[in-house]
Amino acid sequence: MTQKRVRVFSGARPTGKQHLGNYLGAILNYVEMQKDFDCIYSIVDIHALTTVETTLQLKENCLDMALDWLAAGVDPEQSIVFIQSHVPQVMELHTLLSMVVPMGKLTDLPTFKEKVRMHPQNVNYGLLGYPVLMSADILLYKAELVPVGIDQAPHLEFTREVVRSFNYQYNTQVLLEPQMKNTPVMKVLGTDGVNKMSKSLNNEIEIAADAPTTKKLVMSMVTDTNRKLRSDPGNPDICNVFSFHKMFSSQEEIGMIDVECRRAGIGCVDCKKTLATNINNAMAPFRERRHEWMKKPKQVWEILYNGADRARTIADVTMAEVRDAIGLPRYR
Ligand code: TRP
């Protein structure tokens, strides 16, 4: 008998192959949390629809995401891993929750404003409801803890407000107010050295990329821009390559670079070569495992179907309680 553990929920949009930013910022944390919590990890394909231009890659992107998670060490025996739309109850809950959500709350959210700014020609109803669907994700599974980065914190606060409004409106306790678990903050910058690593900015290094591709990208990374000549001293404190060394290199190497860069003892080219080697060494086991999983997509889909079955069992219980709490007429 395993003892009851705190339930964690997290979702990620299937945007295709994941990059080092996703890996360091989210995926490793997913793996880590399995030690202490009962985890439910969802590939949120419906959320992806809010901004996607074409769904041609959607299935493949879902599979890619699953491959990355599995190869990183997300264990489907222990955790529930599934695709959001395979448990359609989440959309039912989304509609029911929407009745207690004031419009102004949605239009005020920084994430919504940002998306309107970025895609003014594609502001759809689904985009406005994005946080409500995210609340439904969390509440359907009665998650107690949700790991969030700073960008998602307002959504979690929103979810907590939805719970209070719903429970107050229907005089019930069925929905559980989730706690926020700050992820070990790690803002990973892209190869441009200034912006957060992101596929849309084309500054990413895919975790599943092969060693030569990774090396090529690392060699293209922007360093301390004040350092123009090899003989100029550099400043590791403002160099993104050095930030990566801190995550992938040994203490000795980090110490050496910290000293040598400042007195032009080491050049950016050598510094990047070392980094590329270290990233490739660190990612080699991951890449091998991913390769193995890639050979058996049927088994991966089976894992996702199984996860959905387990998730649906939880969802059905919550939905029955929610319907009763609202006072909807029962059906056969
Ligand atoms: N909105 C999250 C993101 O963009 C993804 C997400 C959807 C999520 N549902 C969730 C995250 C539930 C945590 C919990 O990253």
Side-chain angles (χ1 to χ4, degrees):
M1 263 298 276
T2 46
Q3 167 192 4
K4 162 115 180 57
R5 302 200 295 177
V6 168
R7 184 177 287 161
V8 161
F9 183 97
S10 185
R13 276 168 297 136
T15 47
K17 296 198 176 70
Q18 301 292 287
H19 54 62
L20 281 175
N22 306 128
Y23 185 73
L24 298 165
I27 301 177
L28 285 182
N29 189 43
Y30 277 18
V31 176
E32 194 60 28
M33 280 188 303
Q34 297 180 113
K35 291 184 190 143
D36 300 316
F37 307 108
D38 278 341
C39 302
I40 306 182
Y41 297 135
S42 181
I43 298 171
V44 292
D45 54 344
I46 306 296
H47 276 113
L49 294 182
T50 57
T51 50
V52 91
E53 281 142 38
T54 158
T55 50
L56 285 175
Q57 314 286 321
L58 192 58
K59 288 192 196 80
E60 200 181 313
N61 286 350
C62 288
L63 183 67
D64 267 324
M65 189 116 201
L67 289 172
D68 282 339
W69 288 359
L70 293 171
V74 170
D75 174 8
E77 298 283 315
Q78 213 188 324
S79 306
I80 298 178
V81 183
F82 76 106
I83 293 178
Q84 183 186 35
S85 69
H86 288 178
V87 186
Q89 285 88 332
V90 75
M91 291 174 267
E92 183 188 355
L93 184 56
H94 162 270
T95 301
L96 297 176
L97 295 178
S98 73
M99 310 305 167
V100 298
V101 176
M103 274 292 288
K105 277 255 157 65
L106 295 173
T107 47
D108 273 356
L109 279 166
T111 42
F112 178 70
K113 290 186 189 154
E114 175 65 17
K115 284 191 173 146
V116 171
R117 200 159 41 234
M118 278 165 60
H119 317 270
Q121 70 300 346
N122 184 24
V123 182
N124 55 55
Y125 173 55
L127 195 61
L128 186 71
Y130 185 110
V132 187
L133 184 59
M134 178 162 160
S135 300
D137 274 330
I138 297 166
L139 303 176
L140 186 58
Y141 304 104
K142 298 202 175 161
E144 297 161 84
L145 209 56
V146 179
V148 282
I150 17 173
D151 55 329
Q152 292 297 314
H155 286 164
L156 203 72
E157 205 37 66
F158 171 85
T159 302
R160 291 161 57 82
E161 285 169 24
V162 168
V163 171
R164 293 194 289 267
S165 307
F166 184 95
N167 286 350
Y168 178 77
Q169 168 81 24
Y170 299 112
N171 191 21
T172 175
Q173 302 282 331
V174 286
L175 299 184
L176 209 75
E177 215 174 305
Q179 302 294 317
M180 191 165 337
K181 184 181 193 305
N182 290 322
T183 46
V185 187
M186 214 178 299
K187 189 169 178 193
V188 180
L189 301 183
T191 50
D192 56 17
V194 282
N195 296 301
K196 192 172 158 182
M197 189 175 282
S198 137
K199 193 175 290 243
S200 55
L201 294 173
N202 217 349
N203 64 0
E204 87 275 23
I205 302 177
E206 281 179 5
I207 38 176
D210 61 17
T213 309
T214 303
K215 180 164 183 193
K216 209 175 120 211
L217 289 170
V218 170
M219 296 313 290
S220 79
M221 280 175 77
V222 174
T223 54
D224 168 8
T225 47
N226 295 324
R227 191 178 187 190
K228 303 252 172 352
L229 303 169
R230 168 68 181 79
S231 53
D232 290 343
N235 181 1
D237 300 334
I238 56 163
C239 178
N240 189 35
V241 171
F242 189 63
S243 310
F244 272 87
H245 271 295
K246 286 195 219 154
M247 297 183 268
F248 286 100
S249 304
S250 68
Q251 283 310 317
E252 288 91 312
E253 282 170 319
I254 297 168
M256 181 277 284
I257 292 164
D258 197 7
V259 172
E260 295 301 327
C261 172
R262 290 179 207 277
R263 62 175 185 213
I266 180 175
C268 294
V269 173
D270 285 332
C271 183
K272 291 196 237 184
K273 274 187 189 156
T274 312
L275 177 62
T277 305
N278 293 349
I279 292 180
N280 282 328
N281 286 340
M283 297 315 293
F286 166 88
R287 288 171 186 161
E288 213 164 287
R289 285 193 297 268
R290 194 180 196 281
H291 205 75
E292 288 307 309
W293 280 113
M294 219 160 63
K295 289 188 212 151
K296 30 190 190 184
K298 278 217 182 89
Q299 207 170 313
V300 177
W301 282 109
E302 206 48 51
I303 286 172
L304 294 171
Y305 297 150
N306 253 312
D309 288 343
R310 289 162 68 196
R312 217 175 291 116
T313 308
I314 304 172
D316 280 333
V317 174
T318 307
M319 285 319 298
E321 291 172 358
V322 164
R323 293 167 149 275
D324 273 351
I326 294 175
L328 291 169
R330 289 195 175 163
Y331 62 97
R332 278 195 290 161

